[in-house]
Every structure is written in structure tokens, then in C-alpha cells.
Amino acid sequence: MSSAVIGQDSQNHQSNQPSQGAQKPPTSAGWPLWEVFVRSSRGLSHVHAGSLHAPDAEMAVRNARDLYTRRNEGVSLWVVRSTDITTSDPDAKDMMFESPQGKDYRHATYYKESEGVKHL
Amino acid sequence: MSGTSTGQLPDHSLDSFGDAAASATRVTPGNALRPEDIALQQTAPADDAVARYALHLGDDALILAQRLSHWISRGPELEEDVALGNIALDQLGHARSFLSYAGKAWGQTEDDLAYFREEEDFTSLHLVEQPNGDFAETMVRGLFMALYQHQLYTRLVHSADETIAAISAKALKEVDYHLEHAELWTLRLGRGTEESAHRMRRALDKLWPYTAELFQDEPLHDELEGVAVRPSTLRAEWDEQLLDILDRSELAVPEVPAALCWGRRGEHSEHLGYILAEMQVLARKHPGATW
């Protein structure tokens, strides 16, 4: 209840409903989904750019290069299987993210500079 | 920066961290030699032979680009569709550069050469005009051409003709990727399923006869010592690299004889006429039209 896995629905759909009769040729339903992270420049973090289908990790990096860096957007790429990412549950938003609101004592600006402390 | 109008000083606190001007969504065209730059530059080919050599290189790239672009919207996957489209556009870029340069010797533009020449004026290899076939055939043709162009451009970077050297240097980085793309798929299809390996063997048998033409020396090459690469000198390394890739893919070099092809002399198979008809029809129906 407290977590969901990206791409889980399509995975379940696949394993629970094997195709009847003749095997179908592999389509995107057979290629797993990958999440792509692009670092635009040295010193910055990798930022999530989107997702894609690829048969394996190596091809996922090549596809990411074609889909997400063709306008000179990046200097480095990460790909990760979507099913390997654990996310917070959208339904648990209140519990997860509402509670820090109003707790201004968690911010440095809440505090006054103490007179007795030098070099602060 | 709009911040200056409100009297705010620019924040330099993060300047020491990497590229301060960068953002997570940066999009810049970057710097590289473009066909437009070549069209504008003063330098023309030194003589007719240099221009004709540039035409060979441009025609191969142009016809391959035209063939590959047919995959757009027909790729086995959306991702592969984009990959093949990218490779087609790279090749088109090389073609534009070489044709722009060649045309300067004859007072013609890249469009004049691409759209208003007849079939027998095209000097492209028979391999690039072969139909796309199935995905395996396109990959085998791509592997043959990428290996060839990679070695060719690696050597042409040192050409005595500075423009040909500069175009080759830019093209080399792109062909490097084309080669990797073709190699990765050859490995996967060769060692994939029984069906994929069968189709790769069929594609190798079908396209192998056209590879002999890639290494055919022409009288033109005798006139271009230091400018051009003698095609026959590329054969040994091409064979060696291909054998290595096929070995790792559990495929073999086919035992089929070479076909007699004279694409460089304007003698083509029936395929080129159809390619040109489709490629040239719009420009010929509406000469000088821009869009």
C-alpha cells in the first residue's frame, strides 16, 4: 500500500495473460521499459528525462542517446529498468508530504542569530 | 538577465560548480562544420578530379540516406525508428557537404546535383541502392557500409584536400555510431533466435556479391595521390574487422561470388531509377520552390 512500482501493471498484464495459440513476434510488449537520466553538464546532477523501450541495458543507452540527447542536451546518460524503481504511493501524499508543512522551525531562517556566537 | 532591471546583483555563489551557464534543460546547436558553411566558403575543389571524387563520396551517402529514410514510421520499434532516422539524417548531412563542395567546381548547388542529374550521372555503389528488405538485410547493408565508411573517413582525415579532410573528420564521429549500431544488432540477431540467425545468413548471402565494388580502384584514383584513398587498400582491414564481428555473432562470411558492378561509372541496377524518381519528383515538378 505504501509503495508502487513503475511499469508493474504492464509486467503483470504480460505474465498473467500468456498469448493463446501461436507465439507472437516480439513487439514493444516484449521489450522492457527503461527510465532515462541525462546529465546536461559537468557539475550538474543526472535529471530524469523520460522513458523508452529496449531489449537490454546496452541498447537502452543507445536508444537514450538517439531519443534524449540529439539536440546536444547531455554529456552523460544513465538508464535503469523501470521495474527496479520503487516510488512513493500517490495515495499516501498526505502522510508522506503534508506533515512537514507549517514546521518552520525546520528551516534555518526560523532562528535568530545568537548574540554570543561569533563567526556565524 | 532580467534580474538587472530590478537592481539585483547576479548571484556568483555557484560559479565554482561546473558549468555555471548550464541548466538541466540546456539545448544548444553546438559547433560543427555544416553544409551551409561549405556552400559559403571561398575554397573550391582544386580540379575536376577532386570534385568528381567528392561526388563519389556524396552519392554513396545520399542514396544510402534515401534508402534508410524509408524505414521512418516502419521501424520494428519506435526507438529503432528514431535510430534509423538519425543514421539516415547523418548520411544526408555528409551527402550535402560533399555535394556542396563538388558543385563549386561546376557552378552547381547541392540541390542541382541531387535533384537534376540523371541516373547515369550518379556514381553511387550498387550496395547502397539495394532494397531495404527485412530488418536483417538493412543491418547487414549498414554493417558493410559503416565498416567501409569508417575506414575510409579515418584515412581521409589526412587528405591533402582540406575540405574533404574536414567533412571526413565530422562524418567519422557519426559513422562511428553507425558502426556500433550495426555491430550491436548483428551480435543480437546472429546469436538471437533460430529465425533471426537464419535471416542474417540470408541477408549476408544476398548482399555479399555487392561488396567487391567497394574496393574497386578507378582511373580517377590515379589522379588523386594524397587526396583520395585507393579503395583496394581498405580491403584487408575491412575483411579482418568484419570477420571478427561475424565470428562473435556466430555467423560466417558467405561463399558466394562477387557481382560485376560499375556504379562509379554510372551503370546501375534497376533500383536506382525508382529511388531517384521518388527523390527528385517534387524538385523537378516545382523547380526553385522553397519550403
Side-chain angles (χ1 to χ4, degrees):
Chain A
M1 174 68 198
S2 65
S3 71
V5 176
I6 296 175
Q8 198 175 45
D9 292 349
S10 59
Q11 291 287 317
N12 285 346
H13 180 76
Q14 243 180 62
S15 53
N16 292 345
Q17 300 189 344
S19 56
Q20 307 282 316
Q23 258 199 325
K24 280 186 190 168
T27 63
S28 54
W31 280 8
L33 196 64
W34 303 76
E35 300 301 318
V36 179
F37 298 81
V38 180
R39 184 167 68 180
S40 68
S41 169
R42 229 181 108 76
L44 294 177
S45 314
H46 286 76
V47 173
H48 185 234
S51 51
L52 51 76
H53 292 101
D56 53 53
E58 203 177 5
M59 293 304 287
V61 172
R62 298 306 175 281
N63 288 348
R65 177 253 190 211
D66 285 336
L67 289 168
Y68 293 107
T69 66
R70 60 197 300 269
R71 293 187 185 87
N72 206 21
E73 291 98 332
V75 296
S76 167
L77 281 168
W78 287 349
V79 295
V80 60
R81 279 284 291 268
S82 304
T83 48
D84 289 339
I85 293 179
T86 306
T87 72
S88 56
D89 181 359
D91 293 338
K93 207 171 65 190
D94 291 357
M95 178 268 282
M96 294 286 280
F97 307 115
E98 293 289 311
S99 89
Q101 289 182 9
K103 293 175 181 169
D104 47 359
Y105 53 83
R106 288 185 179 173
H107 296 259
T109 49
Y110 176 81
Y111 298 95
K112 288 199 183 74
E113 204 175 322
S114 301
E115 285 171 20
V117 183
K118 287 174 183 170
H119 312 302
L120 195 69
Chain B
M1 295 285 271
S2 57
T4 50
S5 60
T6 60
Q8 274 184 317
L9 288 171
D11 179 7
H12 289 294
S13 61
L14 293 173
D15 282 6
S16 57
F17 293 91
D19 181 356
S23 80
T25 53
R26 180 185 64 162
V27 177
T28 65
N31 288 314
L33 182 67
R34 301 168 309 155
E36 290 83 357
D37 303 326
I38 292 162
L40 284 172
Q41 74 177 17
Q42 297 297 316
T43 332
D47 53 38
D48 194 60
V50 175
R52 281 192 289 139
Y53 185 62
L55 197 63
H56 285 189
L57 301 171
D59 281 349
D60 288 348
L62 180 62
I63 302 305
L64 183 58
Q66 185 69 14
R67 270 295 189 219
L68 278 175
S69 60
H70 194 74
W71 272 104
I72 293 169
S73 85
R74 297 176 174 87
E77 288 292 334
L78 178 66
E79 287 78 1
E80 199 47 43
D81 214 90
V82 176
L84 289 168
N86 265 342
I87 294 172
L89 281 173
D90 284 348
Q91 291 286 341
L92 186 65
H94 309 162
R96 291 187 57 202
S97 293
F98 283 124
L99 293 189
S100 293
Y101 184 53
K104 289 171 92 74
W106 309 307
Q108 290 183 301
T109 66
E110 50 176 319
D111 283 358
D112 294 335
L113 292 173
Y115 296 131
F116 297 96
R117 273 185 303 155
E118 301 301 321
E119 188 183 324
E120 63 271 22
D121 302 325
F122 277 80
T123 61
S124 45
L125 298 162
H126 279 225
L127 181 60
V128 292
E129 69 196 45
Q130 293 310 305
N132 287 336
D134 58 13
F135 188 71
E137 262 177 75
T138 294
M139 284 305 110
V140 168
R141 188 186 61 198
L143 178 67
F144 288 166
M145 278 310 287
L147 262 177
Y148 178 70
Q149 288 179 322
H150 193 269
Q151 289 170 10
L152 185 60
Y153 294 147
T154 300
R155 302 255 302 268
L156 281 176
V157 166
H158 308 291
S159 169
D161 186 287
E162 282 180 19
T163 306
I164 288 180
I167 299 169
S168 301
K170 177 171 187 284
L172 182 58
K173 289 180 205 163
E174 296 171 354
V175 171
D176 207 2
Y177 174 74
H178 306 172
L179 178 55
E180 194 179 66
H181 178 264
E183 183 180 341
L184 288 176
W185 274 116
T186 302
L187 284 165
R188 278 158 182 76
L189 296 174
R191 298 165 62 170
T193 63
E194 205 174 304
E195 174 71 12
S196 70
H198 162 71
R199 289 196 186 209
M200 284 301 277
R201 284 193 296 272
R202 194 177 62 183
L204 283 163
D205 282 351
K206 202 165 167 183
L207 294 172
W208 183 258
Y210 303 105
T211 57
E213 191 193 10
L214 274 59
F215 308 101
Q216 188 87 40
D217 290 341
E218 291 286 326
L220 176 67
H221 301 114
D222 298 333
E223 302 174 43
L224 293 168
E225 203 58 50
V227 172
V229 171
R230 201 169 276 281
S232 58
T233 60
L234 297 169
R235 177 95 224 198
E237 201 186 332
W238 189 88
D239 280 339
E240 191 185 326
Q241 286 191 31
L242 181 73
L243 192 66
D244 173 57
I245 294 170
L246 293 184
D247 259 355
R248 283 185 284 121
S249 310
E250 292 165 17
L251 296 165
V253 173
E255 289 176 24
V256 278
L260 265 181
C261 307
W262 300 108
R264 294 285 187 233
R265 303 179 186 181
E267 292 175 23
H268 295 280
S269 64
E270 72 274 23
H271 303 302
L272 187 66
Y274 293 101
I275 297 173
L276 294 182
E278 192 171 50
M279 187 178 84
Q280 296 179 331
V281 63
L282 194 65
R284 288 185 177 218
K285 198 162 183 186
H286 306 281
T290 55
W291 57 85

